[in-house]
Amino acid sequence: MAELTGIMLLMGALLVISILAAVVSSRLGAPLLLTFLVIGMLAGEEGLLGIQFNSPEISFFIGSLALVIILFDGGMRTQRERFRVALWPAISLATLGVALTCAITAAGVVWLFGLPWPTALLIGAILSSTDAAAVFGIFQSANLRIKQRVASTLEIESGTNDPMAVILTMTLTAVVVNIDSFTINAMVLDILQQLVLGLLIGWFGGRVFIYMARKISVQFTFFPLLAAASAVVIFALTTSVGGSGFLAVYLMGFVIGNSRLPQLMHILQVQDGLAWLSQIMMFLILGLLVTPSHLLESWPLSLTVAVLMIFVARPIAVFISLLPFVFPWREQLFISWVGLRGAVPIILALYPWLSGVPDQELFFDIAFMVVLISLLLQGWTLAPFARWLGLEVPATAEPDRRMPLELVGSKDPMELWGYQVSERSPACDHYWHELRWAVPVEFVGIIRDGEWVLPERRPQVLEGDMVLVVAKVEHLDEVSRVLSAGGSATELRNSDFFGDFSLKGSLTLADVASFYPTGELDEKIKQLSISDYFKEKFHRRVVVGDQLKLGHVQLTVRELHSTGEIEQVGVKLLDS
Protein backbone atom coordinates (compact mmCIF):
# COMPACT_ATOMS: atom_id res chain seq x y z
CA MET A 1 0.00 0.00 0.00
CA ALA A 2 2.83 2.37 0.90
CA GLU A 3 4.53 1.65 -2.44
CA LEU A 4 1.33 2.43 -4.40
CA THR A 5 0.88 5.64 -2.43
CA GLY A 6 4.46 6.61 -3.25
CA ILE A 7 3.87 6.05 -6.97
CA MET A 8 0.69 8.14 -6.85
CA LEU A 9 2.53 10.92 -5.02
CA LEU A 10 5.37 10.83 -7.55
CA MET A 11 3.12 10.95 -10.64
CA GLY A 12 0.94 13.68 -9.14
CA ALA A 13 3.99 15.73 -8.21
CA LEU A 14 5.48 15.36 -11.71
CA LEU A 15 2.21 16.54 -13.26
CA VAL A 16 2.02 19.55 -10.97
CA ILE A 17 5.66 20.46 -11.64
CA SER A 18 5.16 20.03 -15.41
CA ILE A 19 2.14 22.35 -15.47
CA LEU A 20 3.84 25.01 -13.32
CA ALA A 21 6.98 24.77 -15.43
CA ALA A 22 4.86 25.16 -18.57
CA VAL A 23 3.64 28.55 -17.31
CA VAL A 24 7.23 29.75 -16.93
CA SER A 25 8.45 28.26 -20.21
CA SER A 26 5.61 29.82 -22.22
CA ARG A 27 6.69 33.26 -20.97
CA LEU A 28 10.22 32.51 -22.12
CA GLY A 29 8.96 31.33 -25.52
CA ALA A 30 10.17 27.77 -24.98
CA PRO A 31 8.19 24.88 -26.52
CA LEU A 32 5.97 23.34 -23.83
CA LEU A 33 6.69 19.80 -24.97
CA LEU A 34 10.40 20.39 -24.47
CA THR A 35 9.64 21.34 -20.86
CA PHE A 36 7.74 18.10 -20.23
CA LEU A 37 10.50 16.06 -21.84
CA VAL A 38 13.24 17.68 -19.76
CA ILE A 39 11.30 17.18 -16.53
CA GLY A 40 10.96 13.48 -17.36
CA MET A 41 14.72 13.26 -17.98
CA LEU A 42 15.51 15.06 -14.71
CA ALA A 43 13.35 12.55 -12.84
CA GLY A 44 14.97 9.56 -14.60
CA GLU A 45 17.74 7.22 -13.56
CA GLU A 46 20.52 9.70 -14.33
CA GLY A 47 18.56 12.70 -13.11
CA LEU A 48 17.84 14.29 -9.75
CA LEU A 49 15.30 11.70 -8.57
CA GLY A 50 17.08 8.67 -10.04
CA ILE A 51 13.86 6.82 -10.92
CA GLN A 52 14.65 3.44 -12.51
CA PHE A 53 12.29 2.94 -15.45
CA ASN A 54 13.17 0.61 -18.32
CA SER A 55 9.92 -0.68 -19.80
CA PRO A 56 9.47 0.06 -23.52
CA GLU A 57 6.27 -2.04 -23.42
CA ILE A 58 4.56 0.27 -20.90
CA SER A 59 5.92 3.34 -22.69
CA PHE A 60 4.61 2.10 -26.03
CA PHE A 61 1.18 1.36 -24.55
CA ILE A 62 0.88 4.77 -22.85
CA GLY A 63 2.28 6.55 -25.91
CA SER A 64 -0.10 4.82 -28.32
CA LEU A 65 -3.10 5.56 -26.10
CA ALA A 66 -2.03 9.18 -25.79
CA LEU A 67 -1.62 9.48 -29.57
CA VAL A 68 -5.15 8.17 -30.07
CA ILE A 69 -6.54 10.96 -27.87
CA ILE A 70 -4.32 13.62 -29.47
CA LEU A 71 -5.15 12.64 -33.07
CA PHE A 72 -8.84 12.31 -32.23
CA ASP A 73 -8.79 15.82 -30.76
CA GLY A 74 -6.89 17.14 -33.79
CA GLY A 75 -9.42 15.62 -36.15
CA MET A 76 -12.35 17.22 -34.30
CA ARG A 77 -10.70 20.65 -34.52
CA THR A 78 -10.00 20.42 -38.28
CA GLN A 79 -12.81 22.40 -39.88
CA ARG A 80 -14.24 21.44 -43.26
CA GLU A 81 -13.74 24.92 -44.77
CA ARG A 82 -9.98 24.61 -44.26
CA PHE A 83 -9.97 21.86 -46.87
CA ARG A 84 -10.95 24.43 -49.49
CA VAL A 85 -7.47 25.93 -49.59
CA ALA A 86 -5.28 23.22 -48.08
CA LEU A 87 -6.54 19.67 -48.61
CA TRP A 88 -4.48 18.59 -51.61
CA PRO A 89 -1.28 20.44 -50.68
CA ALA A 90 -1.49 18.91 -47.20
CA ILE A 91 -2.18 15.42 -48.57
CA SER A 92 0.78 15.81 -50.91
CA LEU A 93 3.00 16.74 -47.96
CA ALA A 94 1.61 13.90 -45.82
CA THR A 95 2.24 11.25 -48.49
CA LEU A 96 4.86 12.31 -51.04
CA GLY A 97 6.51 14.61 -48.50
CA VAL A 98 6.82 11.84 -45.90
CA ALA A 99 8.23 9.42 -48.47
CA LEU A 100 10.74 11.99 -49.77
CA THR A 101 11.83 12.97 -46.25
CA CYS A 102 12.38 9.31 -45.43
CA ALA A 103 14.28 8.59 -48.66
CA ILE A 104 16.52 11.69 -48.62
CA THR A 105 17.43 11.19 -44.96
CA ALA A 106 18.20 7.53 -45.60
CA ALA A 107 20.37 8.38 -48.61
CA GLY A 108 22.38 10.82 -46.52
CA VAL A 109 22.87 8.29 -43.69
CA VAL A 110 23.96 5.56 -46.13
CA TRP A 111 26.40 7.89 -47.88
CA LEU A 112 27.92 9.40 -44.72
CA PHE A 113 27.89 6.42 -42.35
CA GLY A 114 27.62 3.37 -44.62
CA LEU A 115 24.56 1.93 -42.82
CA PRO A 116 22.47 -0.70 -44.66
CA TRP A 117 19.62 0.72 -46.70
CA PRO A 118 16.84 -1.03 -44.70
CA THR A 119 18.23 0.39 -41.43
CA ALA A 120 18.68 3.87 -42.90
CA LEU A 121 15.15 3.85 -44.37
CA LEU A 122 13.74 2.79 -41.00
CA ILE A 123 15.49 5.76 -39.32
CA GLY A 124 13.99 8.06 -41.96
CA ALA A 125 10.50 6.59 -41.55
CA ILE A 126 10.56 6.94 -37.76
CA LEU A 127 11.45 10.63 -38.03
CA SER A 128 9.29 11.56 -41.02
CA SER A 129 6.21 12.92 -39.23
CA THR A 130 5.68 16.43 -37.81
CA ASP A 131 3.95 17.47 -34.61
CA ALA A 132 0.94 19.78 -34.94
CA ALA A 133 0.37 20.08 -31.20
CA ALA A 134 3.89 21.41 -30.67
CA VAL A 135 3.61 23.89 -33.53
CA PHE A 136 0.22 25.36 -32.61
CA GLY A 137 1.06 25.32 -28.91
CA ILE A 138 3.98 27.64 -29.74
CA PHE A 139 1.73 29.89 -31.85
CA GLN A 140 -0.82 30.07 -29.04
CA SER A 141 1.74 30.92 -26.35
CA ALA A 142 3.17 33.63 -28.61
CA ASN A 143 -0.31 35.07 -29.44
CA LEU A 144 0.49 34.42 -33.10
CA ARG A 145 -2.10 33.87 -35.81
CA ILE A 146 -0.75 33.00 -39.24
CA LYS A 147 -2.40 32.99 -42.66
CA GLN A 148 -5.10 30.38 -43.10
CA ARG A 149 -3.50 28.73 -46.14
CA VAL A 150 -0.31 28.04 -44.16
CA ALA A 151 -2.04 27.14 -40.89
CA SER A 152 -4.54 24.81 -42.60
CA THR A 153 -1.82 23.11 -44.64
CA LEU A 154 0.28 22.47 -41.54
CA GLU A 155 -2.71 21.31 -39.50
CA ILE A 156 -4.03 18.83 -42.05
CA GLU A 157 -0.53 17.64 -42.95
CA SER A 158 0.47 16.92 -39.35
CA GLY A 159 -2.83 15.20 -38.66
CA THR A 160 -2.49 12.89 -41.65
CA ASN A 161 1.26 12.33 -41.79
CA ASP A 162 1.34 10.60 -38.39
CA PRO A 163 -0.62 7.62 -39.77
CA MET A 164 1.62 7.60 -42.87
CA ALA A 165 4.75 7.55 -40.70
CA VAL A 166 3.27 4.75 -38.59
CA ILE A 167 2.48 2.70 -41.69
CA LEU A 168 5.98 3.23 -43.11
CA THR A 169 7.65 2.39 -39.80
CA MET A 170 5.65 -0.80 -39.26
CA THR A 171 6.23 -1.92 -42.83
CA LEU A 172 9.99 -1.23 -42.80
CA THR A 173 10.37 -2.84 -39.38
CA ALA A 174 8.77 -5.97 -40.79
CA VAL A 175 11.17 -5.74 -43.74
CA VAL A 176 14.23 -5.50 -41.46
CA VAL A 177 13.03 -8.41 -39.29
CA ASN A 178 12.03 -10.60 -42.25
CA ILE A 179 14.36 -9.38 -44.96
CA ASP A 180 14.44 -12.77 -46.69
CA SER A 181 10.68 -12.84 -47.35
CA PHE A 182 10.38 -9.20 -48.37
CA THR A 183 8.74 -8.26 -51.69
CA ILE A 184 7.73 -4.86 -53.05
CA ASN A 185 4.24 -6.12 -53.95
CA ALA A 186 3.61 -7.33 -50.41
CA MET A 187 4.73 -3.98 -48.95
CA VAL A 188 2.50 -1.96 -51.34
CA LEU A 189 -0.51 -4.17 -50.60
CA ASP A 190 0.08 -3.84 -46.87
CA ILE A 191 0.22 -0.03 -47.10
CA LEU A 192 -2.95 0.10 -49.24
CA GLN A 193 -4.75 -2.22 -46.81
CA GLN A 194 -3.88 -0.01 -43.84
CA LEU A 195 -4.97 3.15 -45.67
CA VAL A 196 -8.27 1.80 -47.02
CA LEU A 197 -9.34 0.10 -43.80
CA GLY A 198 -8.33 3.15 -41.77
CA LEU A 199 -10.42 5.46 -43.95
CA LEU A 200 -13.48 3.19 -44.07
CA ILE A 201 -13.61 2.28 -40.38
CA GLY A 202 -12.81 5.84 -39.30
CA TRP A 203 -15.65 7.30 -41.37
CA PHE A 204 -18.05 4.56 -40.24
CA GLY A 205 -17.06 5.05 -36.59
CA GLY A 206 -17.72 8.78 -36.82
CA ARG A 207 -21.17 8.27 -38.33
CA VAL A 208 -22.09 5.67 -35.71
CA PHE A 209 -21.06 7.99 -32.87
CA ILE A 210 -23.14 10.85 -34.33
CA TYR A 211 -26.15 8.51 -34.59
CA MET A 212 -25.70 7.37 -30.98
CA ALA A 213 -25.28 10.92 -29.68
CA ARG A 214 -28.55 11.97 -31.31
CA LYS A 215 -30.51 8.96 -30.09
CA ILE A 216 -29.39 8.32 -26.52
CA SER A 217 -30.42 10.47 -23.58
CA VAL A 218 -27.77 10.80 -20.87
CA GLN A 219 -26.17 13.66 -18.96
CA PHE A 220 -23.97 15.87 -21.11
CA THR A 221 -21.02 15.14 -18.85
CA PHE A 222 -20.95 11.58 -20.23
CA PHE A 223 -20.58 12.54 -23.89
CA PRO A 224 -16.87 13.55 -23.78
CA LEU A 225 -16.08 10.25 -22.05
CA LEU A 226 -18.18 8.37 -24.61
CA ALA A 227 -16.31 10.12 -27.45
CA ALA A 228 -12.86 9.29 -26.04
CA ALA A 229 -13.84 5.68 -25.32
CA SER A 230 -15.30 5.30 -28.83
CA ALA A 231 -12.02 6.58 -30.34
CA VAL A 232 -10.06 3.97 -28.40
CA VAL A 233 -12.48 1.23 -29.56
CA ILE A 234 -12.17 2.30 -33.21
CA PHE A 235 -8.37 2.39 -32.94
CA ALA A 236 -8.20 -1.11 -31.45
CA LEU A 237 -10.74 -2.51 -33.91
CA THR A 238 -8.99 -1.02 -36.96
CA THR A 239 -5.57 -2.18 -35.82
CA SER A 240 -6.82 -5.71 -35.12
CA VAL A 241 -8.03 -6.14 -38.73
CA GLY A 242 -4.82 -4.78 -40.28
CA GLY A 243 -5.82 -1.14 -40.82
CA SER A 244 -4.25 2.12 -39.68
CA GLY A 245 -5.84 2.82 -36.31
CA PHE A 246 -4.31 6.30 -36.10
CA LEU A 247 -5.75 7.30 -39.48
CA ALA A 248 -9.13 5.91 -38.39
CA VAL A 249 -9.34 7.95 -35.17
CA TYR A 250 -8.23 11.15 -36.95
CA LEU A 251 -10.94 10.72 -39.61
CA MET A 252 -13.48 9.76 -36.95
CA GLY A 253 -12.68 12.97 -35.08
CA PHE A 254 -13.01 14.99 -38.29
CA VAL A 255 -16.45 13.52 -39.03
CA ILE A 256 -17.67 14.23 -35.49
CA GLY A 257 -16.11 17.69 -35.31
CA ASN A 258 -17.87 18.81 -38.51
CA SER A 259 -21.27 17.50 -37.47
CA ARG A 260 -23.99 19.68 -35.97
CA LEU A 261 -24.14 17.83 -32.66
CA PRO A 262 -25.44 20.01 -29.81
CA GLN A 263 -22.98 18.24 -27.46
CA LEU A 264 -19.95 19.07 -29.61
CA MET A 265 -18.81 22.19 -27.73
CA HIS A 266 -18.86 20.32 -24.42
CA ILE A 267 -16.97 17.40 -25.95
CA LEU A 268 -14.28 19.76 -27.31
CA GLN A 269 -13.84 21.52 -23.97
CA VAL A 270 -13.20 18.25 -22.10
CA GLN A 271 -11.20 16.78 -24.99
CA ASP A 272 -8.80 19.72 -24.86
CA GLY A 273 -7.89 18.81 -21.28
CA LEU A 274 -7.56 15.12 -22.15
CA ALA A 275 -5.25 15.94 -25.07
CA TRP A 276 -2.97 18.05 -22.88
CA LEU A 277 -2.94 15.38 -20.18
CA SER A 278 -2.02 12.81 -22.84
CA GLN A 279 0.86 14.94 -24.11
CA ILE A 280 2.22 15.58 -20.62
CA MET A 281 2.05 11.93 -19.62
CA MET A 282 3.57 10.79 -22.90
CA PHE A 283 6.57 13.11 -22.69
CA LEU A 284 7.14 12.43 -19.00
CA ILE A 285 7.20 8.66 -19.62
CA LEU A 286 9.52 9.04 -22.61
CA GLY A 287 11.81 11.31 -20.60
CA LEU A 288 11.93 8.71 -17.82
CA LEU A 289 12.74 5.95 -20.32
CA VAL A 290 15.75 7.63 -21.91
CA THR A 291 19.27 7.24 -20.55
CA PRO A 292 21.14 10.52 -21.28
CA SER A 293 24.57 8.87 -21.32
CA HIS A 294 23.40 6.55 -24.12
CA LEU A 295 22.45 9.58 -26.21
CA LEU A 296 26.06 10.76 -26.16
CA GLU A 297 27.30 7.44 -27.51
CA SER A 298 25.58 7.99 -30.85
CA TRP A 299 25.61 11.79 -30.97
CA PRO A 300 27.52 12.11 -34.32
CA LEU A 301 24.90 10.03 -36.12
CA SER A 302 22.00 11.74 -34.29
CA LEU A 303 23.30 15.23 -35.00
CA THR A 304 23.89 14.38 -38.66
CA VAL A 305 20.36 13.00 -39.03
CA ALA A 306 18.92 16.15 -37.42
CA VAL A 307 20.88 18.44 -39.75
CA LEU A 308 19.90 16.36 -42.79
CA MET A 309 16.21 16.44 -41.89
CA ILE A 310 15.98 20.11 -40.92
CA PHE A 311 18.16 21.70 -43.61
CA VAL A 312 18.04 19.22 -46.52
CA ALA A 313 15.29 16.58 -46.50
CA ARG A 314 12.37 18.68 -45.25
CA PRO A 315 12.99 21.71 -47.54
CA ILE A 316 13.44 19.52 -50.62
CA ALA A 317 10.34 17.44 -49.74
CA VAL A 318 8.25 20.59 -49.22
CA PHE A 319 9.44 22.21 -52.47
CA ILE A 320 8.67 19.11 -54.56
CA SER A 321 5.37 18.33 -52.80
CA LEU A 322 4.03 21.89 -53.20
CA LEU A 323 5.33 22.39 -56.75
CA PRO A 324 1.93 21.76 -58.43
CA PHE A 325 0.15 24.19 -56.07
CA VAL A 326 2.27 27.31 -56.66
CA PHE A 327 2.64 28.44 -53.05
CA PRO A 328 4.35 31.83 -52.47
CA TRP A 329 8.02 31.32 -51.64
CA ARG A 330 7.67 32.81 -48.14
CA GLU A 331 5.00 30.25 -47.26
CA GLN A 332 7.07 27.38 -48.67
CA LEU A 333 10.07 28.52 -46.64
CA PHE A 334 8.04 28.66 -43.44
CA ILE A 335 6.35 25.27 -44.03
CA SER A 336 9.76 23.70 -44.58
CA TRP A 337 11.01 25.17 -41.28
CA VAL A 338 7.93 23.91 -39.42
CA GLY A 339 8.99 20.29 -39.77
CA LEU A 340 8.97 20.19 -35.99
CA ARG A 341 9.45 16.72 -34.49
CA GLY A 342 7.50 15.75 -31.36
CA ALA A 343 6.44 12.65 -29.49
CA VAL A 344 5.44 10.55 -32.50
CA PRO A 345 9.01 9.74 -33.69
CA ILE A 346 10.01 8.67 -30.17
CA ILE A 347 6.94 6.43 -29.89
CA LEU A 348 7.63 4.97 -33.33
CA ALA A 349 11.24 4.29 -32.31
CA LEU A 350 9.88 1.88 -29.69
CA TYR A 351 8.35 -0.30 -32.39
CA PRO A 352 11.70 -1.68 -33.68
CA TRP A 353 12.76 -2.04 -30.03
CA LEU A 354 9.74 -4.25 -29.29
CA SER A 355 10.11 -6.16 -32.57
CA GLY A 356 13.63 -7.39 -31.86
CA VAL A 357 15.40 -5.38 -34.56
CA PRO A 358 19.22 -5.48 -34.18
CA ASP A 359 20.68 -2.41 -32.39
CA GLN A 360 17.15 -1.72 -31.19
CA GLU A 361 18.06 1.03 -28.69
CA LEU A 362 19.94 2.95 -31.39
CA PHE A 363 16.67 3.93 -33.12
CA PHE A 364 15.23 5.23 -29.85
CA ASP A 365 18.36 7.24 -28.98
CA ILE A 366 18.53 8.80 -32.46
CA ALA A 367 14.84 9.71 -32.43
CA PHE A 368 15.08 11.22 -28.95
CA MET A 369 18.14 13.30 -29.84
CA VAL A 370 16.61 14.56 -33.10
CA VAL A 371 13.40 15.57 -31.29
CA LEU A 372 15.42 17.47 -28.68
CA ILE A 373 17.39 19.33 -31.35
CA SER A 374 14.21 20.08 -33.33
CA LEU A 375 12.38 21.46 -30.30
CA LEU A 376 15.36 23.58 -29.30
CA LEU A 377 16.27 24.94 -32.74
CA GLN A 378 12.97 25.11 -34.62
CA GLY A 379 10.63 25.41 -31.66
CA TRP A 380 12.30 28.52 -30.29
CA THR A 381 12.41 30.29 -33.66
CA LEU A 382 8.97 29.54 -35.15
CA ALA A 383 7.14 32.64 -33.94
CA PRO A 384 9.82 35.24 -34.81
CA PHE A 385 10.42 33.51 -38.16
CA ALA A 386 6.71 33.69 -39.06
CA ARG A 387 6.62 37.40 -38.19
CA TRP A 388 9.82 38.06 -40.13
CA LEU A 389 8.31 36.44 -43.23
CA GLY A 390 5.15 38.53 -42.89
CA LEU A 391 2.80 35.58 -42.36
CA GLU A 392 1.10 36.94 -39.24
CA VAL A 393 -2.46 38.26 -39.61
CA PRO A 394 -4.55 40.14 -37.02
CA ALA A 395 -6.50 38.02 -34.56
CA THR A 396 -10.15 37.48 -35.52
CA ALA A 397 -12.89 39.02 -33.41
CA GLU A 398 -14.38 36.42 -31.04
CA PRO A 399 -16.13 36.22 -27.66
CA ASP A 400 -14.17 36.29 -24.42
CA ARG A 401 -16.61 33.75 -22.93
CA ARG A 402 -18.62 31.01 -24.66
CA MET A 403 -21.31 28.83 -23.14
CA PRO A 404 -23.13 26.24 -25.29
CA LEU A 405 -26.90 25.97 -24.89
CA GLU A 406 -27.34 22.31 -25.77
CA LEU A 407 -30.47 21.70 -23.71
CA VAL A 408 -32.70 24.27 -25.46
CA GLY A 409 -33.43 21.76 -28.25
CA SER A 410 -32.65 24.07 -31.19
CA LYS A 411 -31.90 22.37 -34.50
CA ASP A 412 -29.10 24.90 -35.03
CA PRO A 413 -26.49 25.04 -32.22
CA MET A 414 -26.88 28.14 -30.04
CA GLU A 415 -24.52 29.70 -27.50
CA LEU A 416 -24.36 32.43 -24.90
CA TRP A 417 -21.45 34.77 -25.64
CA GLY A 418 -19.77 37.31 -23.40
CA TYR A 419 -17.73 40.18 -24.87
CA GLN A 420 -15.37 42.31 -22.77
CA VAL A 421 -15.78 45.80 -24.21
CA SER A 422 -12.71 47.95 -24.78
CA GLU A 423 -12.36 51.40 -26.29
CA ARG A 424 -11.66 49.70 -29.64
CA SER A 425 -14.94 47.76 -29.65
CA PRO A 426 -17.33 49.20 -32.29
CA ALA A 427 -20.19 48.94 -29.77
CA CYS A 428 -18.40 51.02 -27.12
CA ASP A 429 -20.38 54.14 -25.97
CA HIS A 430 -23.48 53.06 -27.90
CA TYR A 431 -26.93 51.96 -26.76
CA TRP A 432 -28.13 48.52 -27.88
CA HIS A 433 -30.94 49.92 -30.06
CA GLU A 434 -28.35 51.99 -31.97
CA LEU A 435 -26.55 48.88 -33.20
CA ARG A 436 -27.61 47.46 -36.57
CA TRP A 437 -27.64 43.68 -37.05
CA ALA A 438 -27.75 41.62 -40.25
CA VAL A 439 -28.36 38.42 -38.24
CA PRO A 440 -30.72 37.53 -35.36
CA VAL A 441 -29.10 38.14 -31.97
CA GLU A 442 -30.70 38.50 -28.53
CA PHE A 443 -29.33 40.99 -25.97
CA VAL A 444 -29.22 39.36 -22.51
CA GLY A 445 -27.74 42.27 -20.58
CA ILE A 446 -24.45 43.62 -19.23
CA ILE A 447 -22.24 42.52 -16.37
CA ARG A 448 -20.92 45.77 -14.85
CA ASP A 449 -18.92 45.82 -11.60
CA GLY A 450 -20.16 42.30 -10.89
CA GLU A 451 -23.83 43.28 -11.23
CA TRP A 452 -26.25 42.12 -13.94
CA VAL A 453 -27.75 45.13 -15.75
CA LEU A 454 -30.97 43.93 -17.39
CA PRO A 455 -31.85 44.85 -21.01
CA GLU A 456 -35.06 46.68 -20.01
CA ARG A 457 -32.93 49.31 -18.25
CA ARG A 458 -31.58 50.27 -21.71
CA PRO A 459 -27.95 50.57 -20.57
CA GLN A 460 -25.24 52.28 -22.57
CA VAL A 461 -22.34 49.95 -23.49
CA LEU A 462 -19.25 51.26 -21.72
CA GLU A 463 -15.59 50.35 -21.65
CA GLY A 464 -15.01 47.46 -19.23
CA ASP A 465 -18.55 46.03 -19.58
CA MET A 466 -19.17 42.36 -20.29
CA VAL A 467 -21.94 42.28 -22.91
CA LEU A 468 -24.02 39.07 -22.93
CA VAL A 469 -25.86 37.89 -26.07
CA VAL A 470 -27.46 34.69 -27.37
CA ALA A 471 -27.19 33.73 -31.04
CA LYS A 472 -26.70 30.80 -33.39
CA VAL A 473 -23.12 29.55 -33.70
CA GLU A 474 -23.18 30.15 -37.46
CA HIS A 475 -23.50 33.91 -36.80
CA LEU A 476 -20.43 34.14 -34.57
CA ASP A 477 -18.34 36.25 -36.97
CA GLU A 478 -21.10 38.79 -37.65
CA VAL A 479 -21.83 39.34 -33.96
CA SER A 480 -18.16 39.44 -32.99
CA ARG A 481 -17.34 42.14 -35.53
CA VAL A 482 -19.67 44.53 -33.69
CA LEU A 483 -19.01 43.59 -30.06
CA SER A 484 -15.37 42.46 -29.98
CA ALA A 485 -12.24 44.55 -30.14
CA GLY A 486 -10.63 41.95 -32.42
CA GLY A 487 -7.72 41.05 -30.17
CA SER A 488 -5.72 42.59 -27.38
CA ALA A 489 -3.74 45.79 -27.72
CA THR A 490 -0.50 43.82 -27.82
CA GLU A 491 -1.50 41.93 -30.96
CA LEU A 492 -1.17 43.01 -34.59
CA ARG A 493 -3.73 45.76 -35.20
CA ASN A 494 -6.13 45.67 -38.15
CA SER A 495 -5.24 49.21 -39.24
CA ASP A 496 -1.51 48.42 -39.25
CA PHE A 497 -2.00 45.29 -41.34
CA PHE A 498 -4.94 46.04 -43.66
CA GLY A 499 -4.71 49.84 -43.81
CA ASP A 500 -7.28 52.46 -42.83
CA PHE A 501 -9.55 52.06 -45.85
CA SER A 502 -11.47 49.17 -47.43
CA LEU A 503 -12.80 48.45 -50.92
CA LYS A 504 -15.35 45.95 -52.18
CA GLY A 505 -13.89 42.96 -53.97
CA SER A 506 -16.29 43.45 -56.88
CA LEU A 507 -14.67 46.75 -57.91
CA THR A 508 -12.55 46.63 -61.05
CA LEU A 509 -8.89 47.55 -61.04
CA ALA A 510 -9.80 50.44 -63.36
CA ASP A 511 -11.99 51.80 -60.55
CA VAL A 512 -9.09 51.44 -58.10
CA ALA A 513 -6.67 53.14 -60.50
CA SER A 514 -9.04 56.10 -60.87
CA PHE A 515 -8.46 57.30 -57.30
CA TYR A 516 -5.29 55.48 -56.10
CA PRO A 517 -1.69 55.67 -57.44
CA THR A 518 -1.54 52.16 -58.94
CA GLY A 519 0.80 53.11 -61.77
CA GLU A 520 0.31 51.96 -65.35
CA LEU A 521 -1.91 48.86 -65.68
CA ASP A 522 -2.44 46.63 -68.69
CA GLU A 523 -5.85 47.10 -70.32
CA LYS A 524 -6.78 43.45 -69.76
CA ILE A 525 -5.91 43.70 -66.08
CA LYS A 526 -7.98 46.88 -65.69
CA GLN A 527 -11.14 44.97 -66.64
CA LEU A 528 -10.65 42.40 -63.88
CA SER A 529 -12.35 42.78 -60.53
CA ILE A 530 -10.17 42.87 -57.43
CA SER A 531 -11.48 39.42 -56.49
CA ASP A 532 -10.68 37.93 -59.91
CA TYR A 533 -7.21 39.51 -59.93
CA PHE A 534 -6.34 37.92 -56.58
CA LYS A 535 -7.70 34.56 -57.71
CA GLU A 536 -5.55 34.71 -60.83
CA LYS A 537 -2.41 35.52 -58.85
CA PHE A 538 -3.01 32.97 -56.09
CA HIS A 539 -4.47 30.24 -58.31
CA ARG A 540 -7.93 30.46 -56.66
CA ARG A 541 -6.60 29.65 -53.17
CA VAL A 542 -7.12 33.11 -51.70
CA VAL A 543 -7.12 33.58 -47.91
CA VAL A 544 -7.41 36.52 -45.55
CA GLY A 545 -4.04 38.29 -45.42
CA ASP A 546 -2.98 37.68 -49.03
CA GLN A 547 -1.36 40.83 -50.43
CA LEU A 548 -0.66 42.33 -53.85
CA LYS A 549 1.08 45.58 -54.76
CA LEU A 550 -0.06 47.88 -57.53
CA GLY A 551 2.30 50.81 -57.87
CA HIS A 552 2.27 52.62 -54.53
CA VAL A 553 -0.82 50.77 -53.30
CA GLN A 554 -0.92 47.56 -51.27
CA LEU A 555 -4.15 45.56 -51.40
CA THR A 556 -4.75 43.03 -48.60
CA VAL A 557 -7.62 40.54 -48.51
CA ARG A 558 -9.70 41.50 -45.47
CA GLU A 559 -12.90 39.51 -45.73
CA LEU A 560 -14.02 36.45 -47.71
CA HIS A 561 -17.48 35.15 -48.47
CA SER A 562 -18.24 31.48 -47.72
CA THR A 563 -18.07 30.85 -51.49
CA GLY A 564 -14.44 32.03 -51.57
CA GLU A 565 -15.23 35.38 -53.24
CA ILE A 566 -13.44 38.40 -51.83
CA GLU A 567 -15.87 40.77 -50.11
CA GLN A 568 -13.42 43.39 -48.88
CA VAL A 569 -9.77 44.32 -49.32
CA GLY A 570 -7.78 46.71 -47.19
CA VAL A 571 -5.94 49.55 -48.89
CA LYS A 572 -2.61 50.90 -47.66
CA LEU A 573 -0.61 53.60 -49.39
CA LEU A 574 3.11 52.83 -49.60
CA ASP A 575 5.91 55.33 -49.36
CA SER A 576 7.04 56.65 -52.72
Side-chain angles (χ1 to χ4, degrees), residues 164-356:
M164 288 301 301
V166 172
I167 292 171
L168 266 180
T169 301
M170 293 177 64
T171 303
L172 288 169
T173 300
V175 169
V176 173
V177 174
N178 304 299
I179 189 67
D180 295 333
S181 58
F182 165 73
T183 63
I184 292 291
N185 290 338
M187 184 178 74
V188 171
L189 288 175
D190 182 58
I191 292 174
L192 288 176
Q193 174 183 313
Q194 293 190 57
L195 287 174
V196 171
L197 289 177
L199 291 170
L200 289 176
I201 299 177
W203 180 86
F204 181 75
R207 300 308 306 174
V208 169
F209 179 85
I210 293 170
Y211 178 81
M212 283 196 307
R214 286 173 175 162
K215 293 298 180 182
I216 62 177
S217 178
V218 295
Q219 294 183 24
F220 271 75
T221 50
F222 284 107
F223 279 101
L225 301 178
L226 179 63
S230 300
V232 174
V233 169
I234 290 298
F235 170 78
L237 179 63
T238 309
T239 304
S240 65
V241 297
S244 172
F246 293 111
L247 178 60
V249 295
Y250 178 80
L251 183 60
M252 177 185 178
F254 173 77
V255 172
I256 295 171
N258 286 274
S259 67
R260 301 178 71 86
L261 284 177
Q263 306 95 335
L264 182 59
M265 183 60 65
H266 190 56
I267 292 173
L268 287 172
Q269 289 173 342
V270 177
Q271 188 68 32
D272 188 44
L274 290 177
W276 273 111
L277 178 62
S278 298
Q279 291 190 69
I280 294 172
M281 290 299 298
M282 181 167 52
F283 272 83
L284 285 177
I285 290 294
L286 294 173
L288 285 171
L289 183 63
V290 72
T291 304
S293 60
H294 290 176
L295 299 179
L296 298 177
E297 294 174 3
S298 56
W299 74 265
L301 177 57
S302 301
L303 181 61
T304 302
V305 171
V307 171
L308 279 172
M309 298 207 76
I310 295 172
F311 296 103
V312 181
R314 173 71 177 178
I316 293 175
V318 167
F319 175 76
I320 294 175
S321 299
L322 296 182
L323 199 57
F325 307 103
V326 198
F327 269 53
W329 70 267
R330 292 175 182 268
E331 297 179 12
Q332 288 192 56
L333 184 60
F334 184 71
I335 291 171
S336 68
W337 188 247
V338 186
L340 196 67
R341 266 63 197 174
V344 176
I346 306 177
I347 297 295
L348 292 181
L350 292 173
Y351 194 79
W353 194 343
L354 297 174
S355 301

Side-chain angles (χ1 to χ4, degrees), residues 518-533:
T518 60
E520 292 295 327
L521 298 177
D522 187 90
E523 287 300 322
K524 286 186 178 180
I525 293 179
K526 283 185 178 181
Q527 306 308 314
L528 294 176
S529 68
I530 297 175
S531 182
D532 289 336
Y533 185 60

